[in-house]
Amino acid sequence: MMSDPVVHRVAAATPPRLAHRIRGLSDRTIAWLFVAPTIFLLLAVNIFPLIWTIRLSLTNFRTNRPNNEVEFVGIENYRRILTDEDTWTSLQATAHFLIWTILLQVLIGFALAYLINKKFRGNDLWTTLIVLPMMLSPAVVGNFWTFLYQPQIGLFNYFVQFLTGADPASFSMIGEVRLAPWSIVIVDTWMWTPFVMLICLAGLRSIPASLYEAAECDRASKWRQFWTITIPMALPFLMLAVLFRGIENFKMFDLVVQLTGGGPGSTTLLTSIDLKREAFEKWRTGYASAYAVILFVTVFGLASIYVKALNKVKDR
Amino acid sequence: MNARLLATSASLAIFVGATAAKAEDLTLCWAAWDPANALIELSKEYEAESGNKMTYEFVPWTNFADRMLNELNSGGKLCDLMIGDSQWIGGAAENGQYVKLNDFFDANGISMDAFIPATVTGYSEWPKNTPNYWSLPAFGDVVGWTYRKDWFARPEIQAEFKEKFGRDLGVPATYAELMDIATFFDEREIDGKTVYGASIYTERGSEGITMGAMNTLYGFGFKYDNPEKPYEMEGFVNSEGSVAGLEFYKALYDCCTPPGSSNSYMGEGVDAFKSGQVALQMNFAFTWPGFHTDANVGGDVTGYFPNPAGPNGDKFAQLGGQGISVVAASDKQDAALTYIKWFAQPDVQAKWWSLGGYSALRAVVEDPGFATSQPYAQTFLDSMAIVKDFWAEPAYATLLQASQQRFHDYVVAGNGTAKEALDGLVADWTETFEEEGKY
């Protein structure tokens, strides 16, 4: 290490008084000095707001009523949220969105990755084209798809007509209760499947070719190779993709607001939209804080369990 | 030499300082829509007269309340002047977000008697019906209807309508007649194109469906509360008439709106009408000047009429529009007040109308030439005479979100009955007023 000329140059360039001070510090202190700004930043932008939110969640505070006396209400906000039918309706809508988007994105994303992983002409071009949707802004995508879903002029309805013969004006993807939950699933799948594909592709490309060569020598069929080599080796990557998409979609907001605004009725009112309305339209700050804490605990808890499972799969 | 230089510099500094104190850079916040462009044009005169420079912060309607209420609630200094929605007045007054204007009006000879009474109550007063003023009526607006006058005039259509309904096809006097017209035109072939009956408000995210449905509810007998006992809503919000009004609105949505109308508000209505998709269109009056000059539906193609009467002859229309206020957090309140003083002048208000802004000054709208000055002017006057407004309480946003959810759930999603929707609304609003300590 002492032979490193860079170290010598840095040492020579350090003012003697500073060098003297640093020499007087232990390694542990120096380490703390390096991480202190990050810890301070973390405390300021993550931990403090979290503690403040928990504190607010126990009050009746409203941001738009600064002159009102703030009262401590205990766990009343939590009780109201958990006994409110609308909360559960919203959680159901979120669960539907979460389950179906993840399922479709994993299936299609993995299939695309499997195909792209094969060498063929135009491979790079196809990869670029496939990943294009995830490069767009969700708000733009939401707006764009409202036109595609428009019953009279939207291409989506004409595509359905082409496949089924149904009159394009006879159904409205974002205006009908039975179709609206699927309309947001379709758009999110269109936009984020490429992301899952890229993660799966990384997983597939990390599998050593020697495993397949050994399987070929043992005369294992392609089907057997797929189930005994490809899937187990790519599984940690798949699980990682599910984790990322799960967390992202649990807090999905912009895309769905642009597409349906939570409607029709409350059919696509995801928890994040519901929370935003409580916090910034109804201005029930204390209530919304409790709602946010409940959602945070839910996501954090589920994610922790999932990460443990992911680590177990990796260690296998 | 040095003394002379020092004196010159001092004089220059005093002059610059004085000029800086006089000329201010004022920011006016409003919605991003056609009238805002007219106001920019109008305000050029103010800039020339006062030396103050005007800058503008215009936000699209769907985000307007979110953005501006955030600004007011956080004590932001972005806006010196705010043209805020009528329903904000209670919250803005009680939370000290607007400057109270009574003393300023008295000192400058501005009388609220000079403005249309409904706009003074709707845009300026808090508490309602008391002489406490927080804004100057700036833009009168109200929900009304446009119709395809050219289609109504076609002999073959007139004959078919008369044969079917036994009366002449014309501007509907009642909601029942309006429904007849909407069903008559719905899915009709006109000039080789399928057209639909009516475009109405159904937007879920901000205030759309409430601003639409309230019109029929008012006409059928809805009242916000017991006139004898404020905030008592049982039997008023969910009266038989209210239920019938909401059922009517849903029937109109189900039968006669163009496909894909589940989230329509002002912009979608304008598009539907201008593109020749609908025979009737519900919209705020601010859209009318745009139709009159449009290449497709301008001139004699479009007619205008106020809300028709309900089954008992009640005629009411949802109030829109805004007043202009001075933001209490602004450091330039004195300069902002000079803008309001200038804006209140009769000749400025007359020019405001000529540019497409709906003046609320009686001297303008009661001028003998006003009713014939534009084809929609009489309809505007008739509509302004029958206005009612949504709650303007400090908790209006919570009250509005409840109605948005209940109305959209029933009208668009088709969940439950109108009675259930209105019973639910009574429960939601009661809970809100309980939180507000009204009982």
Side-chain angles (χ1 to χ4, degrees), chain A residues 219-270:
Chain A
R219 296 192 174 185
S221 67
K222 291 285 180 198
W223 183 246
R224 190 161 175 79
Q225 287 177 31
F226 178 77
W227 284 106
T228 54
I229 300 173
T230 310
I231 291 289
M233 295 295 282
L235 192 58
F237 290 87
L238 266 175
M239 290 183 73
L240 200 64
V242 169
L243 180 70
F244 286 155
R245 292 310 308 144
I247 292 172
E248 277 295 309
N249 277 1
F250 198 85
K251 55 192 176 71
M252 170 57 66
F253 180 79
D254 36 14
L255 187 76
V256 178
V257 162
Q258 280 297 324
L259 268 172
T260 64
S266 302
T267 312
T268 59
L269 189 71
L270 305 183

Side-chain angles (χ1 to χ4, degrees), chain A residues 62 64-67 80 86 150-152 169 172 174-175 177 261 264-266 276-277 280-284, chain B residues 66 69-70 73 94-95 196 204-205 258-260 262 277 394 397-398 401 405 408-409 412-413 431 435-436:
Chain A
R62 283 168 173 264
N64 68 334
R65 311 297 296 276
N67 302 331
R80 279 177 61 194
D86 290 346
Q150 222 287 332
Q152 294 176 85
S172 169
I174 54 177
V177 173
S266 302
K276 184 260 178 182
R277 288 198 173 143
F280 299 111
E281 290 177 23
K282 297 180 183 176
W283 299 99
R284 290 172 162 162
Chain B
D66 269 11
L69 289 177
N70 252 323
N73 290 328
E94 290 202 5
N95 297 318
Y196 298 89
R204 169 70 176 88
S262 59
Q277 270 192 72
T398 313
Q401 280 307 313
Q405 183 173 345
H408 211 267
D409 251 339
V412 177
E431 187 188 347
E435 283 178 9
E436 294 288 305

Side-chain angles (χ1 to χ4, degrees), chain B residues 276-353:
Chain B
Q277 270 192 72
V278 289
L280 304 169
Q281 184 229 180
M282 162 192 275
N283 220 329
F284 279 110
F286 85 87
T287 59
W288 299 346
F291 294 128
H292 183 55
T293 53
D294 186 72
N296 293 328
V297 296
D300 283 342
V301 173
T302 300
Y304 311 85
F305 64 92
N307 276 353
N312 298 322
D314 291 340
K315 279 181 84 167
F316 292 106
Q318 175 59 45
L319 181 70
Q322 302 86 32
I324 183 167
S325 302
V326 175
V327 177
S330 165
D331 295 327
K332 303 166 192 166
Q333 290 180 12
D334 289 341
L337 288 168
T338 65
Y339 184 88
I340 291 188
K341 186 181 174 186
W342 167 82
F343 187 71
Q345 295 174 93
D347 55 330
V348 174
Q349 288 287 313
K351 191 172 181 194
W352 180 218
W353 165 249

Side-chain angles (χ1 to χ4, degrees), chain A residues 150-168:
Chain A
Q150 222 287 332
Q152 294 176 85
I153 55 164
L155 288 178
F156 184 87
N157 284 33
Y158 281 93
F159 180 66
V160 173
Q161 181 193 33
F162 175 74
L163 294 178
T164 66
D167 176 10

Side-chain angles (χ1 to χ4, degrees), chain A residues 204-213 229 233:
Chain A
L204 291 175
R205 289 191 176 160
S206 71
I207 302 173
S210 58
L211 290 178
Y212 291 106
E213 288 162 10
I229 300 173
M233 295 295 282

Side-chain angles (χ1 to χ4, degrees), chain B residues 235-249:
Chain B
F236 293 89
V237 167
N238 55 353
S239 63
E240 275 182 29
S242 303
V243 171
L246 194 56
E247 283 172 347
F248 177 88
Y249 200 73

